[in-house]
Amino acid sequence: MAKNLRAKIPKSDTLVISDLNVDATKRFVDEVGNDTHIEIAQCVRAVAEKSETIITVLPEPSHVKSVFHGMLTPELPKSDKKGERLFIDCSTIDPASSKEVANAVHCPGIGRFVDAPMSGGVVGARAGTLTFMLGAPAAVLDRVKSVLLMMGKRVFHLGGQGAGVSGKIANNYLLALNNIATAEAMNIGVKWGLDAHILASLINASTGKCWPSEVNNPVPGVVPDSPASKGYSGGFGVSLMSKDLKLAIAAAKESGARLELAERATQIYDALEEDEDFKSKDFSVVYQYLQR
């Protein structure tokens, strides 16, 4: 994402980066080469002080709250640059946490906070083909979209602040179930003696087609570039899928929405997380879990 941003923002603009993963930061700097308009900040506060647009991408609600506390405390002075300081959070977190952070930004008048979680995984991030689900007021839509489209291909405006994360959690609830169902369907077919490649082609030309069957197929070798074909490395980790599923369940309870499949799906992802062979793998490793 950062590489796509650097390539598409004006060359005279400075990209300020902060990441706890020092190795990842070094790799990025090495990849972009000798660019004098890239600055590595030692803390998130420095990023906020030096930037007019701040993009955050973090694993869990607690991380988002901690990072924003670091940026906003003590109170961040209003931007001396042209326009209002804009915070774009691309993390997948619960609506309540997102609104809590938004209030921390809006109440002191520090800037504008919007939620814009994304879909597309590591592959989409690298290729610049991500889909963003945006929760933002109409007044900042054009500005936010112009930034997001440097990193992705589509932006769905779902409503005001908090709507983006609500849409993403609904999507990822479905993804969690589709992933299990796809693994089960492929496992059934293979055990019946069907060729996995042909079965996948059939499903993807029929009503069973979904992202786990077409792009992230759980059977090794069916999709050459999928995590399953690389020992289930990379991709979308089991722990992240489990986290998003639980966020969806909690949000559903708050709104009174009935979920029939959530409990069993949670049990499966919990079992993957507790298993040393599976917990650090892409979530499509559920296919191997079914082999036991």
Side-chain angles (χ1 to χ4, degrees), residues 33-68:
N34 187 26
D35 191 328
T36 58
H37 291 287
I38 291 177
E39 181 178 337
I40 307 302
Q42 298 304 308
C43 64
V44 293
R45 174 75 177 199
V47 175
E49 289 177 344
K50 296 178 180 182
S51 307
E52 51 189 287
T53 301
I54 300 99
I55 301 169
T56 47
V57 187
L58 297 150
E60 298 188 20
S62 62
H63 302 140
V64 175
K65 292 177 185 179
S66 176
V67 164
F68 272 84

PDB file of all heavy atoms in Angstrom, residues 33-68:
ATOM      1  N   GLY A  33      14.016   2.559  -3.359  1.00  0.00           N
ATOM      2  CA  GLY A  33      15.288   3.144  -3.759  1.00  0.00           C
ATOM      3  C   GLY A  33      15.596   4.453  -3.060  1.00  0.00           C
ATOM      4  O   GLY A  33      15.042   4.778  -2.012  1.00  0.00           O
ATOM      5  N   ASN A  34      16.445   5.221  -3.668  1.00  0.00           N
ATOM      6  CA  ASN A  34      16.941   6.459  -3.057  1.00  0.00           C
ATOM      7  C   ASN A  34      15.953   7.603  -3.252  1.00  0.00           C
ATOM      8  O   ASN A  34      16.124   8.469  -4.098  1.00  0.00           O
ATOM      9  CB  ASN A  34      18.308   6.818  -3.669  1.00  0.00           C
ATOM     10  CG  ASN A  34      18.953   7.995  -2.958  1.00  0.00           C
ATOM     11  OD1 ASN A  34      18.675   8.240  -1.782  1.00  0.00           O
ATOM     12  ND2 ASN A  34      19.803   8.706  -3.675  1.00  0.00           N
ATOM     13  N   ASP A  35      14.901   7.599  -2.459  1.00  0.00           N
ATOM     14  CA  ASP A  35      13.849   8.616  -2.535  1.00  0.00           C
ATOM     15  C   ASP A  35      13.984   9.542  -1.332  1.00  0.00           C
ATOM     16  O   ASP A  35      13.752   9.145  -0.195  1.00  0.00           O
ATOM     17  CB  ASP A  35      12.480   7.960  -2.554  1.00  0.00           C
ATOM     18  CG  ASP A  35      11.356   8.931  -2.892  1.00  0.00           C
ATOM     19  OD1 ASP A  35      11.478  10.122  -2.536  1.00  0.00           O
ATOM     20  OD2 ASP A  35      10.360   8.502  -3.498  1.00  0.00           O
ATOM     21  N   THR A  36      14.338  10.779  -1.593  1.00  0.00           N
ATOM     22  CA  THR A  36      14.558  11.737  -0.496  1.00  0.00           C
ATOM     23  C   THR A  36      13.258  12.224   0.119  1.00  0.00           C
ATOM     24  O   THR A  36      13.279  12.911   1.141  1.00  0.00           O
ATOM     25  CB  THR A  36      15.354  12.953  -1.004  1.00  0.00           C
ATOM     26  OG1 THR A  36      14.630  13.571  -2.080  1.00  0.00           O
ATOM     27  CG2 THR A  36      16.736  12.529  -1.480  1.00  0.00           C
ATOM     28  N   HIS A  37      12.117  11.856  -0.479  1.00  0.00           N
ATOM     29  CA  HIS A  37      10.826  12.287   0.044  1.00  0.00           C
ATOM     30  C   HIS A  37      10.121  11.162   0.794  1.00  0.00           C
ATOM     31  O   HIS A  37       8.888  11.104   0.833  1.00  0.00           O
ATOM     32  CB  HIS A  37       9.942  12.827  -1.087  1.00  0.00           C
ATOM     33  CG  HIS A  37      10.447  14.126  -1.650  1.00  0.00           C
ATOM     34  ND1 HIS A  37      10.347  15.319  -0.959  1.00  0.00           N
ATOM     35  CD2 HIS A  37      11.080  14.412  -2.806  1.00  0.00           C
ATOM     36  CE1 HIS A  37      10.878  16.284  -1.679  1.00  0.00           C
ATOM     37  NE2 HIS A  37      11.335  15.762  -2.804  1.00  0.00           N
ATOM     38  N   ILE A  38      10.912  10.279   1.380  1.00  0.00           N
ATOM     39  CA  ILE A  38      10.393   9.267   2.296  1.00  0.00           C
ATOM     40  C   ILE A  38      11.069   9.471   3.642  1.00  0.00           C
ATOM     41  O   ILE A  38      12.295   9.565   3.719  1.00  0.00           O
ATOM     42  CB  ILE A  38      10.663   7.837   1.790  1.00  0.00           C
ATOM     43  CG1 ILE A  38       9.822   7.549   0.547  1.00  0.00           C
ATOM     44  CG2 ILE A  38      10.337   6.813   2.884  1.00  0.00           C
ATOM     45  CD1 ILE A  38      10.081   6.203  -0.050  1.00  0.00           C
ATOM     46  N   GLU A  39      10.277   9.575   4.679  1.00  0.00           N
ATOM     47  CA  GLU A  39      10.824   9.798   6.019  1.00  0.00           C
ATOM     48  C   GLU A  39      10.327   8.706   6.970  1.00  0.00           C
ATOM     49  O   GLU A  39       9.142   8.404   7.004  1.00  0.00           O
ATOM     50  CB  GLU A  39      10.379  11.164   6.531  1.00  0.00           C
ATOM     51  CG  GLU A  39      10.920  11.496   7.917  1.00  0.00           C
ATOM     52  CD  GLU A  39      10.499  12.879   8.385  1.00  0.00           C
ATOM     53  OE1 GLU A  39      10.186  13.733   7.521  1.00  0.00           O
ATOM     54  OE2 GLU A  39      10.464  13.103   9.611  1.00  0.00           O
ATOM     55  N   ILE A  40      11.232   8.105   7.698  1.00  0.00           N
ATOM     56  CA  ILE A  40      10.876   7.093   8.683  1.00  0.00           C
ATOM     57  C   ILE A  40      10.745   7.775  10.043  1.00  0.00           C
ATOM     58  O   ILE A  40      11.717   8.301  10.576  1.00  0.00           O
ATOM     59  CB  ILE A  40      11.930   5.971   8.755  1.00  0.00           C
ATOM     60  CG1 ILE A  40      12.188   5.397   7.357  1.00  0.00           C
ATOM     61  CG2 ILE A  40      11.475   4.889   9.722  1.00  0.00           C
ATOM     62  CD1 ILE A  40      10.967   4.846   6.669  1.00  0.00           C
ATOM     63  N   ALA A  41       9.536   7.777  10.577  1.00  0.00           N
ATOM     64  CA  ALA A  41       9.285   8.410  11.878  1.00  0.00           C
ATOM     65  C   ALA A  41       9.522   7.397  12.992  1.00  0.00           C
ATOM     66  O   ALA A  41       9.227   6.215  12.856  1.00  0.00           O
ATOM     67  CB  ALA A  41       7.853   8.929  11.941  1.00  0.00           C
ATOM     68  N   GLN A  42      10.024   7.870  14.092  1.00  0.00           N
ATOM     69  CA  GLN A  42      10.326   6.998  15.219  1.00  0.00           C
ATOM     70  C   GLN A  42       9.107   6.718  16.089  1.00  0.00           C
ATOM     71  O   GLN A  42       9.120   5.817  16.926  1.00  0.00           O
ATOM     72  CB  GLN A  42      11.444   7.614  16.068  1.00  0.00           C
ATOM     73  CG  GLN A  42      12.756   7.786  15.318  1.00  0.00           C
ATOM     74  CD  GLN A  42      13.256   6.488  14.714  1.00  0.00           C
ATOM     75  OE1 GLN A  42      13.365   5.475  15.393  1.00  0.00           O
ATOM     76  NE2 GLN A  42      13.564   6.512  13.417  1.00  0.00           N
ATOM     77  N   CYS A  43       8.045   7.496  15.905  1.00  0.00           N
ATOM     78  CA  CYS A  43       6.824   7.277  16.683  1.00  0.00           C
ATOM     79  C   CYS A  43       5.628   7.792  15.894  1.00  0.00           C
ATOM     80  O   CYS A  43       5.763   8.584  14.958  1.00  0.00           O
ATOM     81  CB  CYS A  43       6.910   7.983  18.039  1.00  0.00           C
ATOM     82  SG  CYS A  43       7.022   9.786  17.915  1.00  0.00           S
ATOM     83  N   VAL A  44       4.434   7.340  16.285  1.00  0.00           N
ATOM     84  CA  VAL A  44       3.226   7.722  15.552  1.00  0.00           C
ATOM     85  C   VAL A  44       2.900   9.199  15.742  1.00  0.00           C
ATOM     86  O   VAL A  44       2.298   9.824  14.861  1.00  0.00           O
ATOM     87  CB  VAL A  44       2.034   6.850  15.981  1.00  0.00           C
ATOM     88  CG1 VAL A  44       2.257   5.406  15.552  1.00  0.00           C
ATOM     89  CG2 VAL A  44       1.781   6.926  17.491  1.00  0.00           C
ATOM     90  N   ARG A  45       3.299   9.757  16.862  1.00  0.00           N
ATOM     91  CA  ARG A  45       3.057  11.183  17.101  1.00  0.00           C
ATOM     92  C   ARG A  45       3.733  12.023  16.027  1.00  0.00           C
ATOM     93  O   ARG A  45       3.156  12.998  15.514  1.00  0.00           O
ATOM     94  CB  ARG A  45       3.581  11.567  18.488  1.00  0.00           C
ATOM     95  CG  ARG A  45       3.520  13.054  18.807  1.00  0.00           C
ATOM     96  CD  ARG A  45       2.114  13.522  19.104  1.00  0.00           C
ATOM     97  NE  ARG A  45       2.075  14.925  19.478  1.00  0.00           N
ATOM     98  CZ  ARG A  45       1.080  15.498  20.119  1.00  0.00           C
ATOM     99  NH1 ARG A  45       0.010  14.803  20.456  1.00  0.00           N
ATOM    100  NH2 ARG A  45       1.119  16.776  20.424  1.00  0.00           N
ATOM    101  N   ALA A  46       4.932  11.635  15.661  1.00  0.00           N
ATOM    102  CA  ALA A  46       5.678  12.372  14.636  1.00  0.00           C
ATOM    103  C   ALA A  46       4.967  12.306  13.288  1.00  0.00           C
ATOM    104  O   ALA A  46       4.950  13.288  12.530  1.00  0.00           O
ATOM    105  CB  ALA A  46       7.095  11.809  14.514  1.00  0.00           C
ATOM    106  N   VAL A  47       4.365  11.159  12.993  1.00  0.00           N
ATOM    107  CA  VAL A  47       3.606  11.025  11.742  1.00  0.00           C
ATOM    108  C   VAL A  47       2.455  12.025  11.726  1.00  0.00           C
ATOM    109  O   VAL A  47       2.241  12.745  10.749  1.00  0.00           O
ATOM    110  CB  VAL A  47       3.062   9.592  11.580  1.00  0.00           C
ATOM    111  CG1 VAL A  47       2.173   9.499  10.335  1.00  0.00           C
ATOM    112  CG2 VAL A  47       4.194   8.593  11.491  1.00  0.00           C
ATOM    113  N   ALA A  48       1.688  12.073  12.823  1.00  0.00           N
ATOM    114  CA  ALA A  48       0.531  12.959  12.892  1.00  0.00           C
ATOM    115  C   ALA A  48       0.933  14.427  12.810  1.00  0.00           C
ATOM    116  O   ALA A  48       0.260  15.242  12.168  1.00  0.00           O
ATOM    117  CB  ALA A  48      -0.245  12.698  14.178  1.00  0.00           C
ATOM    118  N   GLU A  49       2.043  14.798  13.479  1.00  0.00           N
ATOM    119  CA  GLU A  49       2.481  16.187  13.496  1.00  0.00           C
ATOM    120  C   GLU A  49       2.932  16.667  12.118  1.00  0.00           C
ATOM    121  O   GLU A  49       2.746  17.829  11.762  1.00  0.00           O
ATOM    122  CB  GLU A  49       3.621  16.360  14.503  1.00  0.00           C
ATOM    123  CG  GLU A  49       3.176  16.254  15.958  1.00  0.00           C
ATOM    124  CD  GLU A  49       4.336  16.352  16.926  1.00  0.00           C
ATOM    125  OE1 GLU A  49       5.498  16.187  16.475  1.00  0.00           O
ATOM    126  OE2 GLU A  49       4.097  16.573  18.139  1.00  0.00           O
ATOM    127  N   LYS A  50       3.506  15.755  11.337  1.00  0.00           N
ATOM    128  CA  LYS A  50       4.103  16.144  10.059  1.00  0.00           C
ATOM    129  C   LYS A  50       3.179  15.937   8.864  1.00  0.00           C
ATOM    130  O   LYS A  50       3.543  16.311   7.747  1.00  0.00           O
ATOM    131  CB  LYS A  50       5.386  15.342   9.834  1.00  0.00           C
ATOM    132  CG  LYS A  50       6.469  15.628  10.867  1.00  0.00           C
ATOM    133  CD  LYS A  50       7.695  14.764  10.623  1.00  0.00           C
ATOM    134  CE  LYS A  50       8.775  15.059  11.665  1.00  0.00           C
ATOM    135  NZ  LYS A  50      10.004  14.260  11.433  1.00  0.00           N
ATOM    136  N   SER A  51       2.009  15.353   9.072  1.00  0.00           N
ATOM    137  CA  SER A  51       1.163  14.956   7.939  1.00  0.00           C
ATOM    138  C   SER A  51      -0.182  15.655   7.939  1.00  0.00           C
ATOM    139  O   SER A  51      -0.733  15.983   8.992  1.00  0.00           O
ATOM    140  CB  SER A  51       0.936  13.437   7.972  1.00  0.00           C
ATOM    141  OG  SER A  51       2.156  12.734   8.041  1.00  0.00           O
ATOM    142  N   GLU A  52      -0.725  15.833   6.741  1.00  0.00           N
ATOM    143  CA  GLU A  52      -2.086  16.352   6.630  1.00  0.00           C
ATOM    144  C   GLU A  52      -3.084  15.226   6.344  1.00  0.00           C
ATOM    145  O   GLU A  52      -4.280  15.380   6.563  1.00  0.00           O
ATOM    146  CB  GLU A  52      -2.172  17.432   5.550  1.00  0.00           C
ATOM    147  CG  GLU A  52      -1.590  17.059   4.205  1.00  0.00           C
ATOM    148  CD  GLU A  52      -1.525  18.267   3.290  1.00  0.00           C
ATOM    149  OE1 GLU A  52      -2.599  18.692   2.809  1.00  0.00           O
ATOM    150  OE2 GLU A  52      -0.428  18.793   3.070  1.00  0.00           O
ATOM    151  N   THR A  53      -2.581  14.100   5.868  1.00  0.00           N
ATOM    152  CA  THR A  53      -3.409  12.904   5.697  1.00  0.00           C
ATOM    153  C   THR A  53      -2.689  11.745   6.362  1.00  0.00           C
ATOM    154  O   THR A  53      -1.542  11.434   6.027  1.00  0.00           O
ATOM    155  CB  THR A  53      -3.642  12.580   4.206  1.00  0.00           C
ATOM    156  OG1 THR A  53      -4.281  13.698   3.574  1.00  0.00           O
ATOM    157  CG2 THR A  53      -4.521  11.344   4.063  1.00  0.00           C
ATOM    158  N   ILE A  54      -3.355  11.089   7.315  1.00  0.00           N
ATOM    159  CA  ILE A  54      -2.750   9.998   8.080  1.00  0.00           C
ATOM    160  C   ILE A  54      -3.564   8.730   7.834  1.00  0.00           C
ATOM    161  O   ILE A  54      -4.780   8.715   8.037  1.00  0.00           O
ATOM    162  CB  ILE A  54      -2.720  10.309   9.596  1.00  0.00           C
ATOM    163  CG1 ILE A  54      -1.894  11.574   9.862  1.00  0.00           C
ATOM    164  CG2 ILE A  54      -2.143   9.131  10.370  1.00  0.00           C
ATOM    165  CD1 ILE A  54      -2.730  12.815  10.049  1.00  0.00           C
ATOM    166  N   ILE A  55      -2.896   7.672   7.399  1.00  0.00           N
ATOM    167  CA  ILE A  55      -3.555   6.389   7.135  1.00  0.00           C
ATOM    168  C   ILE A  55      -3.054   5.375   8.152  1.00  0.00           C
ATOM    169  O   ILE A  55      -1.839   5.193   8.307  1.00  0.00           O
ATOM    170  CB  ILE A  55      -3.255   5.895   5.707  1.00  0.00           C
ATOM    171  CG1 ILE A  55      -3.726   6.926   4.685  1.00  0.00           C
ATOM    172  CG2 ILE A  55      -3.926   4.538   5.453  1.00  0.00           C
ATOM    173  CD1 ILE A  55      -3.233   6.662   3.276  1.00  0.00           C
ATOM    174  N   THR A  56      -3.975   4.709   8.837  1.00  0.00           N
ATOM    175  CA  THR A  56      -3.607   3.683   9.806  1.00  0.00           C
ATOM    176  C   THR A  56      -4.187   2.340   9.383  1.00  0.00           C
ATOM    177  O   THR A  56      -5.317   2.261   8.906  1.00  0.00           O
ATOM    178  CB  THR A  56      -4.118   4.039  11.217  1.00  0.00           C
ATOM    179  OG1 THR A  56      -5.494   4.446  11.132  1.00  0.00           O
ATOM    180  CG2 THR A  56      -3.311   5.169  11.814  1.00  0.00           C
ATOM    181  N   VAL A  57      -3.394   1.278   9.559  1.00  0.00           N
ATOM    182  CA  VAL A  57      -3.831  -0.091   9.277  1.00  0.00           C
ATOM    183  C   VAL A  57      -3.289  -0.964  10.403  1.00  0.00           C
ATOM    184  O   VAL A  57      -2.080  -1.194  10.477  1.00  0.00           O
ATOM    185  CB  VAL A  57      -3.315  -0.612   7.926  1.00  0.00           C
ATOM    186  CG1 VAL A  57      -3.943  -1.967   7.611  1.00  0.00           C
ATOM    187  CG2 VAL A  57      -3.593   0.367   6.811  1.00  0.00           C
ATOM    188  N   LEU A  58      -4.181  -1.462  11.257  1.00  0.00           N
ATOM    189  CA  LEU A  58      -3.761  -2.195  12.450  1.00  0.00           C
ATOM    190  C   LEU A  58      -4.634  -3.429  12.650  1.00  0.00           C
ATOM    191  O   LEU A  58      -5.770  -3.478  12.183  1.00  0.00           O
ATOM    192  CB  LEU A  58      -3.837  -1.276  13.672  1.00  0.00           C
ATOM    193  CG  LEU A  58      -2.887  -0.073  13.582  1.00  0.00           C
ATOM    194  CD1 LEU A  58      -3.447   1.118  14.313  1.00  0.00           C
ATOM    195  CD2 LEU A  58      -1.521  -0.449  14.133  1.00  0.00           C
ATOM    196  N   PRO A  59      -4.109  -4.439  13.381  1.00  0.00           N
ATOM    197  CA  PRO A  59      -4.828  -5.719  13.487  1.00  0.00           C
ATOM    198  C   PRO A  59      -6.099  -5.697  14.327  1.00  0.00           C
ATOM    199  O   PRO A  59      -7.104  -6.295  13.945  1.00  0.00           O
ATOM    200  CB  PRO A  59      -3.783  -6.664  14.113  1.00  0.00           C
ATOM    201  CG  PRO A  59      -2.463  -6.003  13.911  1.00  0.00           C
ATOM    202  CD  PRO A  59      -2.749  -4.538  13.933  1.00  0.00           C
ATOM    203  N   GLU A  60      -6.074  -5.029  15.486  1.00  0.00           N
ATOM    204  CA  GLU A  60      -7.182  -5.164  16.431  1.00  0.00           C
ATOM    205  C   GLU A  60      -7.611  -3.809  17.011  1.00  0.00           C
ATOM    206  O   GLU A  60      -6.859  -2.833  16.948  1.00  0.00           O
ATOM    207  CB  GLU A  60      -6.781  -6.107  17.569  1.00  0.00           C
ATOM    208  CG  GLU A  60      -6.469  -7.517  17.104  1.00  0.00           C
ATOM    209  CD  GLU A  60      -6.274  -8.465  18.269  1.00  0.00           C
ATOM    210  OE1 GLU A  60      -6.729  -8.158  19.392  1.00  0.00           O
ATOM    211  OE2 GLU A  60      -5.676  -9.534  18.047  1.00  0.00           O
ATOM    212  N   PRO A  61      -8.828  -3.752  17.575  1.00  0.00           N
ATOM    213  CA  PRO A  61      -9.319  -2.499  18.162  1.00  0.00           C
ATOM    214  C   PRO A  61      -8.362  -1.906  19.190  1.00  0.00           C
ATOM    215  O   PRO A  61      -8.164  -0.679  19.222  1.00  0.00           O
ATOM    216  CB  PRO A  61     -10.637  -2.922  18.814  1.00  0.00           C
ATOM    217  CG  PRO A  61     -11.109  -4.087  18.010  1.00  0.00           C
ATOM    218  CD  PRO A  61      -9.863  -4.818  17.617  1.00  0.00           C
ATOM    219  N   SER A  62      -7.769  -2.750  20.040  1.00  0.00           N
ATOM    220  CA  SER A  62      -6.858  -2.236  21.070  1.00  0.00           C
ATOM    221  C   SER A  62      -5.650  -1.542  20.459  1.00  0.00           C
ATOM    222  O   SER A  62      -5.151  -0.546  20.995  1.00  0.00           O
ATOM    223  CB  SER A  62      -6.393  -3.372  21.993  1.00  0.00           C
ATOM    224  OG  SER A  62      -5.680  -4.355  21.262  1.00  0.00           O
ATOM    225  N   HIS A  63      -5.186  -2.058  19.320  1.00  0.00           N
ATOM    226  CA  HIS A  63      -4.042  -1.446  18.646  1.00  0.00           C
ATOM    227  C   HIS A  63      -4.414  -0.078  18.082  1.00  0.00           C
ATOM    228  O   HIS A  63      -3.634   0.874  18.158  1.00  0.00           O
ATOM    229  CB  HIS A  63      -3.546  -2.353  17.510  1.00  0.00           C
ATOM    230  CG  HIS A  63      -3.146  -3.721  17.963  1.00  0.00           C
ATOM    231  ND1 HIS A  63      -3.433  -4.859  17.243  1.00  0.00           N
ATOM    232  CD2 HIS A  63      -2.497  -4.142  19.078  1.00  0.00           C
ATOM    233  CE1 HIS A  63      -2.962  -5.918  17.881  1.00  0.00           C
ATOM    234  NE2 HIS A  63      -2.402  -5.504  18.999  1.00  0.00           N
ATOM    235  N   VAL A  64      -5.612   0.004  17.507  1.00  0.00           N
ATOM    236  CA  VAL A  64      -6.065   1.277  16.940  1.00  0.00           C
ATOM    237  C   VAL A  64      -6.183   2.328  18.046  1.00  0.00           C
ATOM    238  O   VAL A  64      -5.698   3.462  17.902  1.00  0.00           O
ATOM    239  CB  VAL A  64      -7.422   1.105  16.218  1.00  0.00           C
ATOM    240  CG1 VAL A  64      -7.937   2.465  15.730  1.00  0.00           C
ATOM    241  CG2 VAL A  64      -7.284   0.145  15.050  1.00  0.00           C
ATOM    242  N   LYS A  65      -6.792   1.954  19.156  1.00  0.00           N
ATOM    243  CA  LYS A  65      -6.945   2.894  20.274  1.00  0.00           C
ATOM    244  C   LYS A  65      -5.589   3.345  20.802  1.00  0.00           C
ATOM    245  O   LYS A  65      -5.387   4.525  21.118  1.00  0.00           O
ATOM    246  CB  LYS A  65      -7.766   2.240  21.390  1.00  0.00           C
ATOM    247  CG  LYS A  65      -9.222   1.991  21.014  1.00  0.00           C
ATOM    248  CD  LYS A  65      -9.957   1.265  22.143  1.00  0.00           C
ATOM    249  CE  LYS A  65     -11.375   0.899  21.751  1.00  0.00           C
ATOM    250  NZ  LYS A  65     -12.083   0.169  22.822  1.00  0.00           N
ATOM    251  N   SER A  66      -4.657   2.411  20.913  1.00  0.00           N
ATOM    252  CA  SER A  66      -3.327   2.741  21.427  1.00  0.00           C
ATOM    253  C   SER A  66      -2.584   3.693  20.504  1.00  0.00           C
ATOM    254  O   SER A  66      -1.967   4.666  20.958  1.00  0.00           O
ATOM    255  CB  SER A  66      -2.513   1.451  21.613  1.00  0.00           C
ATOM    256  OG  SER A  66      -1.194   1.732  22.026  1.00  0.00           O
ATOM    257  N   VAL A  67      -2.644   3.426  19.205  1.00  0.00           N
ATOM    258  CA  VAL A  67      -1.951   4.284  18.240  1.00  0.00           C
ATOM    259  C   VAL A  67      -2.549   5.688  18.234  1.00  0.00           C
ATOM    260  O   VAL A  67      -1.818   6.688  18.224  1.00  0.00           O
ATOM    261  CB  VAL A  67      -1.997   3.660  16.828  1.00  0.00           C
ATOM    262  CG1 VAL A  67      -1.639   4.693  15.766  1.00  0.00           C
ATOM    263  CG2 VAL A  67      -1.036   2.475  16.741  1.00  0.00           C
ATOM    264  N   PHE A  68      -3.875   5.790  18.266  1.00  0.00           N
ATOM    265  CA  PHE A  68      -4.493   7.113  18.258  1.00  0.00           C
ATOM    266  C   PHE A  68      -4.245   7.857  19.566  1.00  0.00           C
ATOM    267  O   PHE A  68      -4.099   9.083  19.575  1.00  0.00           O
ATOM    268  CB  PHE A  68      -5.982   7.023  17.933  1.00  0.00           C
ATOM    269  CG  PHE A  68      -6.249   7.075  16.461  1.00  0.00           C
ATOM    270  CD1 PHE A  68      -6.175   5.920  15.696  1.00  0.00           C
ATOM    271  CD2 PHE A  68      -6.513   8.276  15.828  1.00  0.00           C
ATOM    272  CE1 PHE A  68      -6.385   5.960  14.324  1.00  0.00           C
ATOM    273  CE2 PHE A  68      -6.720   8.344  14.463  1.00  0.00           C
ATOM    274  CZ  PHE A  68      -6.661   7.171  13.704  1.00  0.00           C
TER     275      PHE A  68
END
